[in-house]
Amino acid sequence: MPEALSAAKISKPEILAPAGSPESLTAAVRCGANAVYIGGKRFSARSNAANFSDGELEEAVSYCHLHGVKLYRAMNTVVFPEETKDFISEAEKSAAAGVDGLIVQDIGMARLLREVLPDMKLNASTQMTVHTAEGARAARELGFSRVVAARELSLKELEKIIAAGVETEVFIHGALCMSVSGQCYMSAMIGSRSANRGLCAQACRLPFGGDYDLSLKDLCGIPHIKALADMGAASFKIEGRMKRPEYVAAAVAACRAALDGGEPDLDILRSVFSRSGFTDGYLTGKLGRDMFGYRTKEDVAAAGAALPKLRETYRRETKARDGAANFYVRMERNKPIRLDMTCRGLTVSAEGACPEEAVNRPADAEYLRRQLDRLGDTVYTLGSLAADIEDGLTVSAAAVNALRREAVGKMNEARTAAAKPLGRSPKAVPALPEPIPEKRREAKKIRIRLYRQEQLPVLNDSGLAEEFAVPLELFEKLPEDITEKLSDRLIAALPRFTADENALTAKLEALQGSGLKRVLCTNIAHIGIGRRLGLKLSGGFGLNITNPWSALAVKELGLSDITASFECRFGQLAEVRGVLPTGAIVYGRLPLMLTRNCPLKGKRECGNCPGSISDRTGRTFPIVCSNGTSEIFNCVPLMVTDKTEKLHGDFFELDFTEESPAEIKRITGCLRRNEKALESGCTGGLYSRGVE
């Protein structure tokens, strides 16, 4: 497993630029990026970008490495069982091409890559929702060398993650999703285009609530870049693989200026792309209505004037920061002219024709320097020149130029080869453990998940379900006789976004004295906390488990069961469940977004708002606020209580967000009888239609 770098080992953080096309990559490198991230034609969380073919990937690696720039490939989507072979094949191609690391979301694929490509650096995508120090440590345990922190964090929260000793990448500029990354299912549920698969349709950028209540301005953390560098951030990431090369040029130049102590040109950056300006609300902790914005006609018009100027900034080739080249020339009678070129410890040689007898002025070092200094279209600059020339000899300028071009070509090849990481021979894909036999005829367990205090009376009917999950804040209010009666069957559902891990840990410790034995882990950060406290661990849907390798990864971390992602099809669920007991949600309003900034904040006083938001078609989406976050739920509930035979689950989960105790009992009874719980006003979800 690659060693995780501590903050203390970071001498100077990198500027990491996006490239959705070869032209954007050129713009990034020429404007001063230390690293670039791109996507291939598959498994990229920005599938709608142009992205790179296999041949373009190899060319991109060579170009970056010639400039001393690293190149990462984003393979940051969840992976379904039937895609595993193709995912590993794409990773092996990337390794052979010489990429410096892979950005990965799927924890099962990360586990598999640890075995197949053990020397490949893995960066934990922001899609993994790493937002705490414990989450960063969990990512390291899963085999990641770097974590890409969530975009919704304050400077103080980022400092805690960096201090955990895991190399940390921080988003510094670009688009902000309304939802926490990795926890958005709106596009999937509305149109089968999954944000976890790189095909988000960006429904949130459309009007909601009569306004753009789900559209945030772009993040601009560039004014805070020095403070973050002082904390020990390893990398500053610019979002924008869908954006044009001029945007990449402006963003990289602004970050480079700010990091180097200069004055960034934020005006031209705002001109080339913004949504009514920028925001640093998450970084400063000043959440509110000022963070919202959308793309106006004025924003679009401003870009037109900025683009020509920005194109000039990357039109010409730039010199590599490590591109100083030293030359040695030897000219002897009746022997071919020899030119040695040395750069970064590498030496290449080129030989030409024999020198000629000088008719007028013989060649000297100054004459050779003028020819060798013609490196304008290369990444090199002329360093020193040493020349051994026998008296009375000369050589034509054309011959020296030909030698220089040959030497430069060989040096390019040598530098590209030397920059390729070593030890990348792929190993065989291991076999999964023997699957758990499926007992089709056995009655499956039912897990009821409650959301509201008014629903708690159903716990008095202990025969209603085999397991009950309640939010942690409601668990604290349960009477002692309930916790004693239900004992191991009662599960405390932990908040999907945890602002204060110390407070969470202290609360769990206190509740252990009141009978708490089991928790529902909705983020990888919860696993380490639960293990330390000796709690039994279940995994929630927010872990995005879509394949058996992910199930195996969390099993090895200590989970006893999981709820599979509701983005799986029926058949895919059957393959997920073979590793450890697996459940499927069969009823409930599915969460479409987890947000840290309430869409109604600043429009209505809390407690007096409608508790919902409507789209242009009039569909209403309930909002539930708790633990400093807001969850936006689907406009209609999922209902497949009559299709349990297709689900192949070990248990079935019923999620009740607003149903009364009477409705909870009725719907649970329908599930027991394999009947429809609703005749209309519901959805079959994604189990049949799946996602792209």
Side-chain angles (χ1 to χ4, degrees):
M1 184 186 305
E3 179 190 2
L5 299 179
S6 69
K9 295 182 182 179
I10 305 299
S11 55
K12 189 171 184 179
E14 69 183 14
I15 293 172
L16 176 59
S21 67
E23 186 182 353
S24 291
L25 182 136
T26 301
V29 172
R30 291 180 178 178
C31 290
N34 305 102
V36 180
Y37 65 103
I38 66 174
K41 295 297 184 182
R42 295 193 65 188
F43 305 111
S44 164
R46 289 294 181 269
S47 292
N48 290 325
N51 289 318
F52 289 70
S53 65
D54 292 345
E56 289 171 335
L57 174 64
E58 292 182 0
E59 292 173 4
V61 170
S62 297
Y63 184 75
C64 285
H65 287 173
L66 276 179
H67 284 80
V69 170
K70 291 183 177 181
L71 187 134
Y72 303 110
R73 178 177 177 179
M75 296 184 68
N76 53 340
T77 66
V78 295
V79 176
F80 292 124
E82 67 274 15
E83 299 173 319
T84 302
K85 183 178 179 181
D86 289 344
F87 183 93
I88 295 301
S89 175
E90 289 295 316
E92 289 175 348
K93 288 178 189 176
S94 300
V99 301
D100 295 282
L102 298 176
I103 306 169
V104 177
Q105 172 187 8
D106 193 294
I107 57 179
M109 294 303 101
R111 189 207 177 281
L112 197 49
L113 288 172
R114 258 171 35 206
E115 299 198 42
V116 178
L117 292 168
D119 297 305
M120 174 64 76
K121 177 176 180 174
L122 300 180
N123 297 349
S125 169
T126 191
Q127 291 289 118
M128 282 181 61
T129 324
V130 175
H131 62 282
T132 62
E134 194 64 54
R137 286 188 282 265
R140 177 169 57 193
E141 189 173 352
L142 286 163
F144 292 96
S145 298
R146 173 188 290 185
V147 296
V148 186
R151 284 174 280 190
E152 296 76 23
L153 301 177
S154 68
L155 293 170
K156 290 181 179 179
E157 290 165 337
L158 285 167
E159 188 172 21
K160 290 178 182 178
I161 295 176
I162 294 167
V166 183
E167 188 177 289
T168 304
E169 182 175 302
V170 176
F171 272 93
I172 201 67
H173 188 84
L176 284 172
C177 298
M178 185 65 191
S179 177
V180 174
S181 294
Q183 303 301 315
C184 184
Y185 308 96
M186 177 173 280
S187 179
M189 289 302 300
I190 290 176
S192 292
R193 295 181 59 180
S194 170
N196 283 314
R197 302 273 294 165
L199 285 166
C200 179
Q202 296 191 330
C204 54
R205 299 296 181 190
L206 298 173
F208 272 81
D211 203 345
Y212 291 86
D213 288 340
L214 298 182
S215 180
L216 295 174
K217 295 176 181 177
D218 281 16
L219 160 72
C220 184
I222 296 173
H224 305 282
I225 200 168
K226 290 289 286 182
L228 286 161
D230 291 342
M231 290 177 193
S235 177
F236 293 117
K237 186 171 201 165
I238 300 165
E239 182 278 336
R241 278 187 288 150
M242 298 284 290
K243 295 192 176 79
R244 57 192 310 150
E246 295 88 346
Y247 163 85
V248 175
V252 170
C255 289
R256 172 57 57 205
L259 193 57
D260 292 347
E263 189 65 35
D265 191 343
L266 299 183
D267 289 334
I268 197 167
L269 182 54
R270 189 178 295 108
S271 296
V272 72
F273 192 92
S274 84
R275 292 182 171 91
S276 310
F278 299 140
T279 180
D280 63 355
Y282 284 132
L283 289 170
T284 60
K286 297 177 181 177
L287 310 185
R289 203 67 203 164
D290 289 344
M291 290 185 65
F292 291 79
Y294 61 97
R295 191 93 168 125
T296 66
K297 292 180 180 179
E298 291 75 16
D299 293 329
V300 176
L307 297 180
K309 178 181 176 182
L310 287 167
R311 288 189 202 106
E312 285 299 309
T313 63
Y314 62 88
R315 188 168 63 86
R316 296 180 179 83
E317 184 60 277
T318 54
K319 303 300 179 183
R321 287 180 283 278
D322 57 356
N326 301 323
F327 289 95
Y328 168 71
V329 181
R330 187 181 66 204
M331 291 174 56
E332 301 176 274
R333 281 182 173 80
N334 303 318
K335 291 184 179 180
I337 301 171
R338 180 183 176 93
L339 173 65
D340 293 339
M341 179 182 181
T342 301
C343 182
R344 296 287 293 176
L346 299 172
T347 299
V348 297
S349 300
E351 290 189 345
C354 296
E356 303 168 355
E357 296 293 334
V359 176
N360 296 312
R361 185 177 177 180
D364 58 13
E366 185 57 36
Y367 168 74
L368 293 173
R369 175 176 286 278
R370 288 196 298 271
Q371 308 310 315
L372 294 174
D373 199 21
R374 296 179 178 180
L375 296 163
D377 59 346
T378 74
V379 301
Y380 305 104
T381 55
L382 179 61
S384 64
L385 170 64
D388 287 335
I389 307 172
E390 282 193 17
D391 292 341
L393 298 180
T394 192
V395 62
S396 69
V400 178
N401 291 340
L403 281 172
R404 185 195 69 244
R405 286 192 291 270
E406 182 182 349
V408 165
K410 288 182 175 179
M411 181 57 72
N412 286 348
E413 293 175 2
R415 279 169 57 89
T416 301
K420 281 191 176 184
L422 301 177
R424 288 283 186 81
S425 298
K427 296 175 172 51
V429 177
L432 281 163
E434 284 296 314
I436 301 170
E438 183 171 6
K439 300 175 182 178
R440 285 180 175 271
R441 298 188 182 279
E442 254 188 34
K444 303 298 175 66
K445 286 195 306 184
I446 293 177
R447 176 182 296 173
I448 288 178
R449 186 172 180 182
L450 307 175
Y451 276 79
R452 298 177 183 273
Q453 186 167 353
E454 295 79 7
Q455 299 169 331
L456 295 181
V458 301
L459 298 177
N460 292 311
D461 184 357
S462 59
L464 186 63
E466 285 72 28
E467 296 174 347
F468 297 89
V470 299
L472 183 62
E473 62 269 24
L474 292 187
F475 194 101
E476 298 177 272
K477 301 176 182 179
L478 292 178
E480 187 175 330
D481 63 319
I482 290 292
T483 56
E484 286 182 0
K485 182 171 66 173
L486 296 178
S487 188
D488 294 335
R489 298 164 56 194
L490 196 58
I491 309 169
L494 304 185
R496 290 165 64 201
F497 199 97
T498 305
D500 188 337
E501 284 185 321
N502 292 332
L504 174 64
T505 302
K507 185 177 289 188
L508 291 173
E509 286 179 314
L511 286 173
Q512 281 182 293
S514 304
L516 175 65
K517 296 181 180 180
R518 189 174 176 187
V519 293
L520 183 66
C521 301
T522 57
N523 184 273
I524 59 170
H526 300 149
I527 299 174
I529 296 172
R531 280 189 317 202
R532 284 199 305 274
L533 297 177
L535 295 165
K536 186 176 180 181
L537 310 176
S538 297
F541 68 84
L543 297 176
N544 291 320
I545 306 294
T546 59
N547 60 71
W549 288 104
S550 294
L552 180 59
V554 294
K555 179 182 180 182
E556 291 170 344
L557 289 179
L559 293 192
S560 60
D561 61 60
I562 54 168
T563 300
S565 169
F566 51 76
E567 292 190 311
C568 291
R569 290 189 177 93
F570 285 123
Q572 292 163 341
L573 283 170
E575 295 191 58
V576 171
R577 72 158 295 277
V579 177
L580 81 169
T582 302
I585 300 174
V586 298
Y587 177 86
R589 286 186 185 264
L590 297 176
L592 302 188
M593 284 187 175
L594 175 68
T595 80
R596 211 172 179 194
N597 200 349
C598 179
L600 301 176
K601 194 176 183 73
K603 297 187 77 173
R604 304 277 184 90
E605 289 296 323
C606 288
N608 295 319
C609 72
S612 63
I613 193 170
S614 299
D615 67 7
R616 296 179 302 167
T617 68
R619 293 177 295 184
T620 299
F621 301 83
I623 300 174
V624 176
C625 299
S626 64
N627 300 298
T629 62
S630 301
E631 285 191 90
I632 303 173
F633 290 89
N634 200 16
C635 54
V636 293
L638 167 75
M639 195 285 297
V640 289
T641 54
D642 59 332
K643 295 182 171 62
T644 55
E645 283 299 309
K646 294 184 177 181
L647 286 166
H648 304 286
D650 297 292
F651 64 90
F652 300 129
E653 181 177 322
L654 299 160
D655 289 1
F656 296 113
T657 54
E658 58 189 10
E659 289 79 2
S660 68
E663 273 294 279
I664 291 172
K665 291 180 180 181
R666 185 190 69 78
I667 293 167
T668 305
C670 290
L671 173 60
R672 292 265 185 215
R673 298 186 297 274
N674 197 34
E675 297 174 353
K676 287 183 178 181
L678 298 172
E679 291 295 335
S680 62
C682 57
T683 175
L686 299 165
Y687 295 135
S688 293
R689 56 188 168 105
V691 294
E692 294 182 43

